[in-house]
Amino acid sequence: MLPPSVEEKAAAAVLNYNNSGLSVLEIPHRSEAFLEILHHARQLVKKILSLNNNMEVLFLQGGATMQFAQIPFNLLDEGRTAAYCNHGVWGEKAIKEAALFGEINIAASSSDRNYTYIQKELTLNGREDYLHITTNNTIEGTQWHSLPVVDVPLIADMSSDIFSRELDYNGLGLFYAGAQKNIGAAGVTLVVVNRHILPELKRKLPSILDYRNHIKAASLLNTAPVFAVYVSYLVLQWIDENGGVAAMQKRAAERADMLYRTIDSLPLFRSHVAVDDRSLMNAVFSIDDKTLEEAFIRFCEENGVMHIRGHRTAGGLRASMYNAMPLESVAKLCDLMRDFSHHNG
Ligand code: PMP
């Protein structure tokens, strides 16, 4: 979900960017106009997350999925070991890619209980070059509410909770997120990397996959996805003007609190996620009777609450509450849940 003001600005820019007579879809990626957009977008990321000068902000392509491969390609040299946490489908995919490059130590896993919690005790062997975690498990609805403290660079897939929380971002070695949830429109991926963690490698890298080249080129190594970066820029402005990550976190807590209270108060609905690890972005819950669950999904759609069906691999129900979602939308869902429960409980 994007803020309506962002959609309006993006729509206007498609017709005429800044009174230039050109559409934002037509401006070249090396034009003054785009260089300015890219520069301001990178600056805004630094400002919103209070990043220091070691942290390099890159807008890349290939989604978070590309990062699953690009991270070990750049950071896990031949014969070396990295630690990964396995707390869900996305972490599992990251592990699968990393295993192509080096030795993987699974430092923690919650696969024993169907990924319904975050295993926080880590088993590290002291030889790992980094630890990779998924801060918010989008499909399973769990979230690290405080990040693990380790001696190696911490690498975080923040695809579904970036810009929604206060953290010591400078304490991370690298973090990344596809734009399509809290940053903007699909088609661009934010990667922030502390340049001091990039090792000299034995392995040779294709230029496009080498973070150093992207840093040198100030995130303009090749044609950038101009429109996707522009929408990210508008969203970053919106976050900045609306109180930054502190305000986003407060809004997220209010929304999640309202929804989880409702789930817990209605016996028809269940959440299997460990209470302490519940995600503020994606509430995963279900109705035991699958016929009723289908009926509830239809009831929601008929009443304007869309995309409440759980991820295709998980089933059940999922309410995603990204940054732009107003509290009233969650209140509406809660009303529908009470109403449905009353008639079907
Ligand atoms: N990691 C997480 C936590 C995600 O939620 C997603 C997408 N939903 C991905 C990775 C994959 O992202 P992409 O489709 O941008 O490659």
Side-chain angles (χ1 to χ4, degrees), residues 249-322:
Q249 179 163 332
K250 191 163 165 278
R251 285 162 52 103
E254 282 167 3
R255 285 187 304 249
D257 190 51
M258 180 185 280
L259 181 54
Y260 287 121
R261 272 174 197 271
T262 307
I263 294 171
D264 292 342
S265 70
L266 299 171
L268 184 65
F269 295 94
R270 265 176 214 286
S271 161
H272 294 289
V273 172
V275 172
D276 288 348
D277 300 330
R278 284 172 166 180
S279 165
L280 302 192
M281 293 279 109
N282 313 96
V284 169
F285 54 113
S286 60
I287 298 176
D288 286 347
D289 179 333
K290 294 301 151 194
T291 312
L292 269 189
E293 197 173 75
E294 281 302 319
F296 177 67
I297 293 170
R298 273 199 311 280
F299 179 63
C300 284
E301 284 168 358
E302 283 158 17
N303 287 283
V305 172
M306 314 309 281
H307 303 297
I308 210 76
R309 187 186 292 281
H311 190 267
R312 64 192 153 77
T313 58
L317 305 165
R318 176 175 58 168
S320 289
M321 303 171 280
Y322 295 118

Side-chain angles (χ1 to χ4, degrees), residues 62-66 68 90 134 136-138 157 159-160 178 180-181:
T65 304
M66 173 70 94
F68 294 166
W90 295 114
T134 312
N136 183 70
N137 293 285
T138 325
D157 176 356
S159 289
S160 49
Q180 60 270 26
K181 297 184 176 71

Side-chain angles (χ1 to χ4, degrees), residues 191-236:
V191 177
V192 178
V193 56
N194 180 331
R195 60 193 143 84
H196 297 301
I197 71 159
L198 297 172
E200 290 302 328
L201 295 172
K202 284 189 255 167
R203 153 188 321 128
K204 292 210 182 335
L205 295 181
S207 330
I208 188 73
L209 294 179
D210 191 333
Y211 290 129
R212 286 196 175 88
N213 290 338
H214 288 287
I215 293 170
K216 262 189 239 138
S219 201
L220 206 56
L221 189 61
N222 67 325
T223 308
V226 170
F227 185 63
V229 174
Y230 178 62
V231 177
S232 300
Y233 169 53
L234 295 178
V235 172
L236 290 162

Side-chain angles (χ1 to χ4, degrees), residues 38-152:
L38 182 62
H39 172 74
H40 288 308
R42 295 174 81 207
Q43 288 307 113
L44 273 170
V45 172
K46 288 198 131 185
K47 180 183 174 203
I48 294 167
L49 302 180
S50 307
L51 299 178
N52 66 33
N53 287 333
N54 295 326
M55 306 303 274
E56 300 283 353
V57 177
L58 305 173
F59 284 99
L60 305 182
Q61 295 178 65
T65 304
M66 173 70 94
Q67 294 310 306
F68 294 166
Q70 196 166 355
I71 288 162
F73 215 171
N74 280 263
L75 294 172
L76 180 58
D77 212 354
E78 288 152 23
R80 310 282 308 180
T81 305
Y84 275 71
C85 287
N86 177 17
H87 289 129
V89 167
W90 295 114
E92 214 175 76
K93 286 187 200 277
I95 291 166
K96 186 161 165 263
E97 295 300 298
L100 299 172
F101 298 92
E103 191 75 29
I104 303 304
N105 169 26
I106 306 297
S109 171
S110 55
S111 65
D112 61 336
R113 277 193 266 141
N114 208 18
Y115 297 131
T116 50
Y117 70 107
I118 299 277
Q119 165 68 267
K120 298 173 201 78
E121 289 77 45
L122 304 177
T123 315
L124 297 170
N125 61 27
R127 293 194 305 279
E128 295 95 346
D129 288 341
Y130 63 85
L131 169 70
H132 180 281
I133 64 169
T134 312
T135 50
N136 183 70
N137 293 285
T138 325
I139 296 175
E140 297 81 4
T142 61
Q143 187 172 23
W144 283 89
H145 291 298
S146 55
L147 300 193
V149 179
V150 285
D151 294 336
V152 291

